[in-house]
Amino acid sequence: MPERRTVALVTLGCARNEVDSEELAGRLAADGWELVQDASDADVAVVNTCGFVEAAKKDSVDALLEANDLKDQGRTQAVVAVGCMAERYGKELAQALPEADGVLGFDDYADISERLQTILNGGIHASHTPRDRRKLLPLSPVERQAAGGVALPGHGDLAPAPAPGEGDLLVAPEDLPEGLAPASGPRAPLRRRLDRSPVASVKLASGCDRRCSFCAIPSFRGSFISRRPSDVLGETRWLAEQGVKEVMLVSENNTSYGKDLGDIRLLETLLPELAAVDGIERVRVSYLQPAEMRPGLIDVLTSTPKIAPYFDLSFQHSAPGVLRAMRRFGDTERFLELLNTIRGKAPQAGVRSNFIVGFPGETEADFAELERFLTGARLDAIGVFGYSDEDGTEAATYADKLDQDVIDERLAHLSRLAEELTAQRAEERLGESLEVLVESVDPDSDEEPAVGRAAHQAPETDGQVIFTSGEGLVPGRMVDAKVVGTEGVDLVVEYHGLTGDGSRTLGEGAAR
């Protein structure tokens, strides 16, 4: 009988990392590893790190140190770092953090089982030397699909196709470029779910071709490359069979989807196909670039049944001078015009964005311009970050840096304003009828007897919906509700009945 090997995955950072963790879980499970939830119950604790900003790096280091402490307390024998921070720093991280028994890069993911077994047996797997992953794929997007040989976390391999009659054929968009249609029936993704949430993310693409002066992500995530529509559809169908009701499409830049497949409008074709997947009640698109928004995409996002009219727009700032220094485009008036176009088609549409304050050269007038934009934008959710230098970025070389106390003051001021503005936006929704996905029910709680999210609320970032009563509610169901109150950015609602036929709940699909 094979020796029992247990592994726990600890995930930090964004939804893209969550997908990567579930791919790693799928690979490990396929090779006989037993997945456990608690790191203290695992032979190996794998920490999927985030390397985006300093605060995220600190959280990742703290998680690795916390997991290392378990080696003296319980079953845990090894702690391994994977993810963006491990990829970005490699040997440097291994030297600075000897508590980690291994630091694995993206190229190790295909052989993750072998790597962990080597480390568990006391062997040493050399930490990788970081490299600029933008140089691993051809410069021309249309040549990338044929390049191959580059690790793309979250794009995972697919299991063999089932025998004839065991599943429906995948339906590819009619305008899919020649040669990219699926060659066989559906194949299960090499992915294992790590929770029972009715919401799951799906990788639409990886990497980014934009060169924002403050961002290091393209250097360690690489150039932009789309997943084939058949793979996205297949994974969505598989998730629906697991009881998932909402899928969120994630990448570094979803508005670029399809440019390397020969059709920059491929997302507009794919979205209705995803919405038609049996069991899926909502499809959400995240990470949209304002400069790449196009009328056809706005139309699909605001008028297609089951597609959330949700716009996660990466504005970052609104003062023209600051945006140009960031290597970005737009200004207050253009951004407000875009929002007016969206709300003209879908008045209830949700919009969120993130902003950087204290960017090198940001004047008081620039900061006031950003305030003017936020006051007029009526955003549902706002993230505010103070600028900090990131290794290897162009902005880190800029000379006109602001004093840290100025950055801190502007960050505190804009954060307070953002809190006020998003609370006001929530109050504008009083009396609205919403379709809410129920995510949890706690009959013993007086404060939050049931919690869910509406179309304008993405998981973990945009607030939630709190029901006045949990009676008649089941996690995984889409229901109709009316907004009767607010608590900051959160909405308080009354349950008004099932949406549509309220067909299948989470539990009914999860056992397949």
Side-chain angles (χ1 to χ4, degrees):
M1 184 175 180
E3 181 182 357
R4 180 173 181 249
R5 302 176 299 175
T6 57
V7 59
L9 288 116
V10 180
T11 306
L12 295 95
C14 65
R16 300 185 295 272
N17 253 18
E18 294 171 4
V19 176
D20 295 351
S21 285
E22 293 197 348
E23 179 192 308
L24 291 174
R27 291 182 180 278
L28 290 166
D31 202 42
W33 290 77
E34 180 181 340
L35 302 170
V36 296
Q37 189 169 18
D38 194 330
S40 63
D41 296 328
D43 296 318
V44 183
V46 177
V47 180
N48 192 348
T49 61
C50 178
F52 181 41
V53 294
E54 286 303 318
K57 296 175 198 173
K58 182 181 183 303
D59 289 344
S60 295
V61 170
D62 290 345
L64 287 163
L65 293 175
E66 183 178 341
N68 182 69
D69 290 341
L70 297 174
K71 288 193 287 188
D72 298 326
Q73 302 173 15
R75 181 187 180 100
T76 308
Q77 301 175 49
V79 175
V80 176
V82 299
C84 291
M85 189 176 178
E87 173 64 36
R88 184 176 180 182
Y89 294 104
K91 291 181 177 179
E92 182 182 344
L93 177 62
Q95 293 169 359
L97 198 70
E99 291 85 354
D101 299 287
V103 176
L104 306 181
F106 296 152
D107 293 330
D108 292 306
Y109 282 21
D111 300 309
I112 186 67
S113 177
E114 178 185 338
R115 300 287 187 266
L116 295 190
Q117 189 62 59
T118 295
I119 294 169
L120 187 60
N121 291 343
I124 298 175
H125 178 72
S127 302
H128 76 108
T129 300
R131 53 182 174 167
D132 189 339
R133 298 190 73 86
R134 291 171 294 190
K135 299 177 180 179
L136 302 183
L137 289 166
L139 185 62
S140 171
V142 295
E143 297 176 3
R144 293 173 189 165
Q145 290 287 331
V150 176
L152 299 170
H155 288 221
D157 297 333
L158 300 178
E166 290 186 6
D168 299 330
L169 290 177
L170 293 177
V171 180
E174 293 181 359
D175 61 351
L176 186 63
E178 185 177 355
L180 292 180
S184 62
R187 297 177 292 169
L190 192 55
R191 175 174 179 175
R192 177 68 67 89
R193 297 215 68 206
L194 295 175
D195 60 39
R196 292 177 56 83
S197 168
V199 184
S201 296
V202 173
K203 276 280 185 78
L204 195 61
S206 287
C208 185
D209 288 341
R210 301 185 71 86
R211 295 296 177 262
C212 300
S213 63
F214 57 84
C215 184
I217 290 176
S219 67
F220 57 85
R221 277 290 184 178
S223 297
F224 184 90
I225 185 164
S226 305
R227 292 184 74 192
R228 296 179 181 229
S230 55
D231 290 346
V232 178
L233 278 163
E235 187 164 337
T236 300
R237 285 195 169 102
W238 177 81
L239 287 168
E241 291 174 354
Q242 309 304 304
V244 168
K245 294 298 182 180
E246 176 180 326
V247 293
M248 184 167 73
L249 302 179
V250 298
S251 76
E252 280 72 24
N253 177 11
N254 282 333
T255 34
S256 283
Y257 180 71
K259 71 176 185 179
D260 52 324
L261 296 175
D263 186 358
I264 192 61
R265 298 178 302 277
L266 195 54
L267 183 56
E268 289 93 303
T269 306
L270 177 61
L271 284 172
E273 296 281 346
L274 294 172
V277 170
D278 185 34
I280 295 299
E281 299 290 346
R282 180 186 289 155
V283 178
R284 183 183 305 278
V285 184
S286 61
Y287 306 113
L288 301 170
Q289 287 291 338
E292 297 181 27
M293 290 301 294
R294 46 197 180 267
L297 180 55
I298 294 174
D299 287 343
V300 170
L301 289 172
T302 55
S303 65
T304 308
K306 295 188 178 182
I307 300 295
Y310 174 80
F311 294 81
D312 178 8
L313 294 164
S314 178
F315 289 124
Q316 302 298 345
H317 213 283
S318 72
V322 175
L323 286 167
R324 301 307 173 268
M326 289 178 169
R327 304 295 183 201
R328 298 178 66 85
F329 305 94
D331 54 47
T332 295
E333 301 309 326
R334 292 182 189 179
F335 292 163
L336 290 176
E337 182 179 352
L338 173 60
L339 294 176
N340 287 336
T341 297
I342 291 169
R343 289 177 175 135
K345 296 178 179 294
Q348 291 183 326
V351 186
R352 83 164 325 273
S353 192
N354 293 325
F355 299 89
I356 298 173
V357 298
F359 191 81
E362 181 190 64
T363 65
E364 290 186 7
D366 293 331
F367 187 66
E369 182 69 1
L370 178 55
E371 286 187 277
R372 183 173 80 88
F373 169 67
L374 287 177
T375 301
R378 297 169 52 234
L379 302 180
D380 293 276
I382 300 170
V384 185
F385 300 88
Y387 172 81
S388 62
D389 287 338
E390 282 297 313
D391 299 334
T393 62
E394 180 184 353
T397 69
Y398 288 177
D400 48 353
K401 303 285 176 58
L402 277 64
D403 291 339
Q404 188 60 49
D405 59 347
V406 174
I407 296 175
D408 293 343
E409 181 181 346
R410 291 181 181 179
L411 175 61
H413 176 81
L414 205 69
S415 296
R416 288 193 298 270
L417 177 62
E419 186 175 347
E420 294 173 6
L421 292 172
T422 52
Q424 290 174 13
R425 176 61 180 140
E427 290 175 358
E428 291 179 18
R429 294 188 179 275
L430 284 169
E432 279 189 9
S433 295
L434 305 174
E435 290 186 350
V436 179
L437 178 62
V438 181
E439 294 189 328
S440 65
V441 178
D442 183 0
D444 297 325
S445 173
D446 294 329
E447 295 183 356
E448 296 184 355
V451 173
R453 287 178 303 99
H456 70 280
Q457 297 168 318
E460 299 183 7
T461 60
D462 303 342
Q464 60 188 9
V465 166
I466 303 168
F467 288 86
T468 56
S469 169
E471 186 177 355
L473 297 175
V474 178
R477 276 190 175 158
M478 191 76 74
V479 301
D480 291 324
K482 183 177 181 179
V483 182
V484 296
T486 65
E487 295 180 4
V489 71
D490 297 335
L491 303 179
V492 179
V493 302
E494 290 180 347
Y495 168 47
H496 277 198
L498 295 177
T499 297
D501 62 2
S503 54
R504 196 167 46 132
T505 65
L506 175 63
E508 292 167 352
R512 291 192 179 188

